[in-house]
Amino acid sequence: KAGVTQTPRYLIKTRGQQVTLSCSPISGHRSVSWYQQTPGQGLQFLFEYFSETQRNKGNFPGRFSGRQFSNSRSEMNVSTLELGDSALYLCASSSTSPETQYFGPGTRLLVL
Amino acid sequence: DQQVKQNSPSLSVQEGRISILNCDYTNSMFDYFLWYKKYPAEGPTFLISISSIKDKNEDGRFTVFLNKSAKHLSLHIVPSQPGDSAVYFCAARAPGTYKYIFGTGTRLKVLA
Protein backbone atom coordinates (compact mmCIF):
# COMPACT_ATOMS: atom_id res chain seq x y z
CA LYS A 1 0.00 0.00 0.00
CA ALA A 2 1.42 3.38 -0.98
CA GLY A 3 2.02 5.84 1.83
CA VAL A 4 0.93 9.43 2.20
CA THR A 5 2.34 11.60 -0.56
CA GLN A 6 2.80 15.34 -0.54
CA THR A 7 3.63 17.67 -3.38
CA PRO A 8 5.67 19.64 -3.89
CA ARG A 9 8.44 18.62 -1.51
CA TYR A 10 10.12 22.02 -1.56
CA LEU A 11 8.81 25.45 -2.38
CA ILE A 12 10.23 28.95 -2.34
CA LYS A 13 7.86 31.91 -2.38
CA THR A 14 8.06 35.61 -1.62
CA ARG A 15 6.06 37.61 0.88
CA GLY A 16 2.55 38.41 -0.24
CA GLN A 17 2.25 35.47 -2.59
CA GLN A 18 -0.04 32.54 -2.05
CA VAL A 19 0.73 28.84 -2.12
CA THR A 20 -1.20 25.60 -2.49
CA LEU A 21 0.10 22.33 -1.08
CA SER A 22 -1.29 18.93 -1.95
CA CYS A 23 -1.68 15.73 0.05
CA SER A 24 -2.77 12.30 -1.16
CA PRO A 25 -3.73 10.02 1.73
CA ILE A 26 -3.26 6.29 1.97
CA SER A 27 -5.83 4.50 -0.14
CA GLY A 28 -9.00 3.98 1.88
CA HIS A 29 -8.19 6.65 4.45
CA ARG A 30 -10.82 9.34 4.68
CA SER A 31 -9.33 11.61 7.32
CA VAL A 32 -6.58 14.07 6.46
CA SER A 33 -4.94 16.38 8.98
CA TRP A 34 -2.48 19.18 8.35
CA TYR A 35 0.30 20.35 10.67
CA GLN A 36 2.90 23.09 10.63
CA GLN A 37 6.31 22.31 12.07
CA THR A 38 8.71 25.09 12.96
CA PRO A 39 11.91 24.90 15.05
CA GLY A 40 11.09 25.05 18.74
CA GLN A 41 7.33 24.84 18.20
CA GLY A 42 6.86 21.20 17.42
CA LEU A 43 3.90 20.26 15.27
CA GLN A 44 1.03 22.70 15.36
CA PHE A 45 -2.36 21.40 14.29
CA LEU A 46 -3.91 23.33 11.40
CA PHE A 47 -7.10 21.44 10.50
CA GLU A 48 -8.58 18.05 9.84
CA TYR A 49 -10.91 16.96 7.06
CA PHE A 50 -13.13 13.95 6.78
CA SER A 51 -15.36 13.19 3.81
CA GLU A 52 -14.82 16.66 2.37
CA THR A 53 -15.83 18.38 5.63
CA GLN A 54 -13.59 20.24 8.02
CA ARG A 55 -14.13 18.59 11.40
CA ASN A 56 -11.48 20.29 13.49
CA LYS A 57 -9.54 23.50 13.25
CA GLY A 58 -6.45 24.78 15.04
CA ASN A 59 -5.57 28.32 16.04
CA PHE A 60 -4.25 29.69 12.78
CA PRO A 61 -5.38 32.86 10.98
CA GLY A 62 -7.85 32.74 8.15
CA ARG A 63 -5.00 33.01 5.63
CA PHE A 64 -4.65 29.26 6.14
CA SER A 65 -7.40 27.28 4.49
CA GLY A 66 -7.93 23.82 3.18
CA ARG A 67 -10.27 21.53 1.39
CA GLN A 68 -10.76 17.87 0.69
CA PHE A 69 -11.96 16.29 -2.51
CA SER A 70 -14.26 13.33 -3.01
CA ASN A 71 -11.25 11.04 -3.52
CA SER A 72 -9.96 12.15 -0.07
CA ARG A 73 -7.06 14.10 -1.53
CA SER A 74 -6.57 17.36 0.30
CA GLU A 75 -5.11 20.73 -0.46
CA MET A 76 -3.93 23.45 1.87
CA ASN A 77 -3.74 27.07 0.80
CA VAL A 78 -1.88 29.92 2.45
CA SER A 79 -2.59 33.40 1.14
CA THR A 80 -0.60 36.59 1.62
CA LEU A 81 2.49 34.72 2.75
CA GLU A 82 4.55 36.07 5.61
CA LEU A 83 8.16 35.30 6.52
CA GLY A 84 6.92 33.43 9.59
CA ASP A 85 5.05 30.97 7.40
CA SER A 86 8.35 29.34 6.50
CA ALA A 87 8.00 25.86 7.89
CA LEU A 88 7.61 22.18 7.16
CA TYR A 89 3.97 21.41 6.39
CA LEU A 90 2.96 17.86 7.15
CA CYS A 91 -0.19 16.04 6.33
CA ALA A 92 -1.34 12.84 7.96
CA SER A 93 -4.08 10.42 7.05
CA SER A 94 -6.01 7.93 9.10
CA SER A 95 -8.79 5.45 8.55
CA THR A 96 -12.00 5.37 10.51
CA SER A 97 -9.94 4.75 13.61
CA PRO A 98 -8.33 8.06 14.50
CA GLU A 99 -5.83 6.68 16.92
CA THR A 100 -3.08 6.25 14.40
CA GLN A 101 -2.11 8.84 11.86
CA TYR A 102 0.31 8.17 9.05
CA PHE A 103 2.39 11.12 8.01
CA GLY A 104 3.69 12.15 4.64
CA PRO A 105 7.25 13.44 4.14
CA GLY A 106 6.12 17.06 4.26
CA THR A 107 6.47 20.13 2.09
CA ARG A 108 9.19 22.52 3.12
CA LEU A 109 8.11 26.08 2.39
CA LEU A 110 10.55 28.96 2.44
CA VAL A 111 9.16 32.48 2.28
CA LEU A 112 11.64 35.18 1.28
CA ASP B 1 -0.15 27.92 25.95
CA GLN B 2 1.70 24.67 25.43
CA GLN B 3 -0.64 21.91 26.60
CA VAL B 4 1.84 19.14 25.85
CA LYS B 5 5.41 19.68 26.96
CA GLN B 6 8.63 17.82 26.37
CA ASN B 7 11.02 19.64 28.65
CA SER B 8 14.19 17.89 27.49
CA PRO B 9 15.15 19.07 24.02
CA SER B 10 17.87 16.44 23.76
CA LEU B 11 19.08 13.21 25.34
CA SER B 12 22.17 11.09 24.82
CA VAL B 13 22.30 7.42 25.80
CA GLN B 14 24.84 4.65 25.35
CA GLU B 15 23.91 1.78 23.05
CA GLY B 16 22.31 -1.07 24.98
CA ARG B 17 21.14 1.14 27.86
CA ILE B 18 17.63 2.38 28.53
CA SER B 19 16.34 5.60 26.97
CA ILE B 20 13.58 7.40 28.86
CA LEU B 21 11.75 10.20 27.14
CA ASN B 22 9.29 12.26 29.12
CA CYS B 23 6.18 14.20 28.31
CA ASP B 24 3.90 16.31 30.53
CA TYR B 25 0.44 17.57 29.73
CA THR B 26 -1.95 20.02 31.32
CA ASN B 27 -5.41 18.91 30.18
CA SER B 28 -6.75 16.00 32.21
CA MET B 29 -9.41 15.42 29.54
CA PHE B 30 -6.93 14.14 26.95
CA ASP B 31 -8.03 10.58 26.21
CA TYR B 32 -5.35 9.16 23.95
CA PHE B 33 -1.60 9.58 23.76
CA LEU B 34 0.84 8.69 21.02
CA TRP B 35 4.57 8.67 20.45
CA TYR B 36 6.14 9.38 17.08
CA LYS B 37 9.69 9.14 15.84
CA LYS B 38 10.99 11.50 13.19
CA TYR B 39 14.11 11.25 11.07
CA PRO B 40 15.39 14.27 9.14
CA ALA B 41 13.61 14.90 5.84
CA GLU B 42 10.87 12.38 6.70
CA GLY B 43 7.44 12.66 8.24
CA PRO B 44 6.88 11.36 11.78
CA THR B 45 6.42 7.62 12.12
CA PHE B 46 3.94 6.23 14.63
CA LEU B 47 5.62 4.23 17.40
CA ILE B 48 3.22 3.37 20.17
CA SER B 49 0.06 4.65 21.79
CA ILE B 50 -1.83 4.41 25.05
CA SER B 51 -5.39 5.06 26.04
CA SER B 52 -6.12 7.10 29.14
CA ILE B 53 -7.80 4.07 30.72
CA LYS B 54 -4.48 2.21 30.82
CA ASP B 55 -1.22 2.92 32.59
CA LYS B 56 1.16 0.87 30.46
CA ASN B 57 1.48 -0.37 26.91
CA GLU B 58 4.33 -2.43 25.56
CA ASP B 59 5.47 -3.17 22.02
CA GLY B 60 8.80 -4.90 21.66
CA ARG B 61 11.57 -2.62 22.88
CA PHE B 62 9.13 0.25 23.41
CA THR B 63 7.00 0.76 26.51
CA VAL B 64 4.84 3.76 27.28
CA PHE B 65 3.81 4.55 30.85
CA LEU B 66 0.98 6.88 31.75
CA ASN B 67 0.62 8.53 35.16
CA LYS B 68 -2.71 10.32 35.04
CA SER B 69 -2.46 11.84 38.50
CA ALA B 70 0.82 13.49 37.55
CA LYS B 71 -0.30 14.18 33.96
CA HIS B 72 2.88 12.57 32.80
CA LEU B 73 3.81 9.95 30.27
CA SER B 74 7.11 8.44 29.39
CA LEU B 75 8.54 6.30 26.63
CA HIS B 76 11.10 3.68 27.52
CA ILE B 77 13.34 2.15 24.88
CA VAL B 78 15.24 -0.95 25.98
CA PRO B 79 17.83 -1.69 24.78
CA SER B 80 18.63 1.48 22.88
CA GLN B 81 20.15 1.10 19.42
CA PRO B 82 21.97 3.62 17.21
CA GLY B 83 19.07 3.42 14.74
CA ASP B 84 16.83 4.85 17.45
CA SER B 85 18.60 8.20 17.10
CA ALA B 86 15.84 10.56 15.99
CA VAL B 87 13.49 13.23 17.29
CA TYR B 88 10.64 11.83 19.39
CA PHE B 89 7.30 13.59 19.70
CA CYS B 90 4.53 12.84 22.12
CA ALA B 91 0.99 13.81 21.18
CA ALA B 92 -2.32 13.94 23.00
CA ARG B 93 -5.81 13.82 21.59
CA ALA B 94 -8.50 16.20 22.76
CA PRO B 95 -11.52 14.02 23.65
CA GLY B 96 -14.30 13.77 21.14
CA THR B 97 -12.14 15.29 18.44
CA TYR B 98 -9.58 14.25 15.88
CA LYS B 99 -7.26 17.01 16.97
CA TYR B 100 -3.84 16.01 18.20
CA ILE B 101 -1.62 18.32 20.19
CA PHE B 102 2.07 17.65 19.90
CA GLY B 103 4.99 18.38 22.15
CA THR B 104 8.07 20.15 20.83
CA GLY B 105 10.09 16.96 20.57
CA THR B 106 13.18 15.43 22.19
CA ARG B 107 16.22 14.64 20.10
CA LEU B 108 17.60 11.25 21.13
CA LYS B 109 21.15 10.32 20.28
CA VAL B 110 22.23 6.75 20.92
CA LEU B 111 25.99 6.47 21.10
CA ALA B 112 27.67 3.34 19.75
Side-chain angles (χ1 to χ4, degrees), chain A residues 1-71:
Chain A
K1 211 179 223 187
V4 178
T5 58
Q6 291 186 246
T7 57
R9 291 294 309 276
Y10 303 93
L11 206 49
I12 299 175
K13 291 284 188 179
T14 55
R15 277 181 299 173
Q17 286 187 309
Q18 72 161 15
V19 67
T20 299
L21 312 181
S22 179
C23 172
S24 292
I26 291 172
S27 177
H29 285 192
R30 295 165 67 188
S31 169
V32 173
S33 298
W34 288 90
Y35 295 85
Q36 180 195 65
Q37 185 187 8
T38 53
Q41 290 294 315
L43 278 74
Q44 305 280 312
F45 175 81
L46 280 154
F47 27 66
E48 185 256 354
Y49 286 87
F50 183 86
S51 292
E52 302 178 66
T53 301
Q54 187 182 90
R55 284 197 302 194
N56 294 275
K57 191 175 187 304
N59 300 321
F60 277 80
R63 300 185 297 108
F64 292 81
S65 63
R67 59 178 175 166
Q68 187 180 34
F69 301 95
S70 58
N71 61 358

Side-chain angles (χ1 to χ4, degrees), chain A residues 37 55-56 98-99 101 103-104, chain B residues 32 34 43 93 97-98 100:
Chain A
Q37 185 187 8
R55 284 197 302 194
N56 294 275
E99 283 77 26
Q101 296 180 93
F103 281 84
Chain B
Y32 213 84
L34 306 96
R93 186 178 73 177
T97 76
Y98 299 91
Y100 290 87

Side-chain angles (χ1 to χ4, degrees), chain B residues 17-80:
Chain B
R17 307 295 287 267
I18 183 172
S19 295
I20 300 177
L21 298 105
N22 294 305
C23 181
D24 295 296
Y25 59 96
T26 57
N27 189 340
S28 59
M29 299 302 290
F30 288 146
D31 65 350
Y32 213 84
F33 303 89
L34 306 96
W35 283 94
Y36 285 87
K37 176 170 73 173
K38 186 179 185 300
Y39 294 118
E42 295 182 13
T45 303
F46 170 75
L47 268 178
I48 192 169
S49 62
I50 188 166
S51 164
S52 60
I53 62 173
K54 296 187 175 181
D55 54 20
K56 178 183 175 181
N57 189 25
E58 204 169 342
D59 184 1
R61 297 187 297 115
F62 302 92
T63 302
V64 56
F65 295 92
L66 176 62
N67 182 333
K68 288 186 287 294
S69 61
K71 298 193 187 73
H72 176 85
L73 68 156
S74 60
L75 174 68
H76 293 209
I77 306 173
V78 184
S80 301

Side-chain angles (χ1 to χ4, degrees), chain B residues 82-94:
Chain B
D84 295 330
S85 297
V87 178
Y88 289 78
F89 292 96
C90 66
R93 186 178 73 177

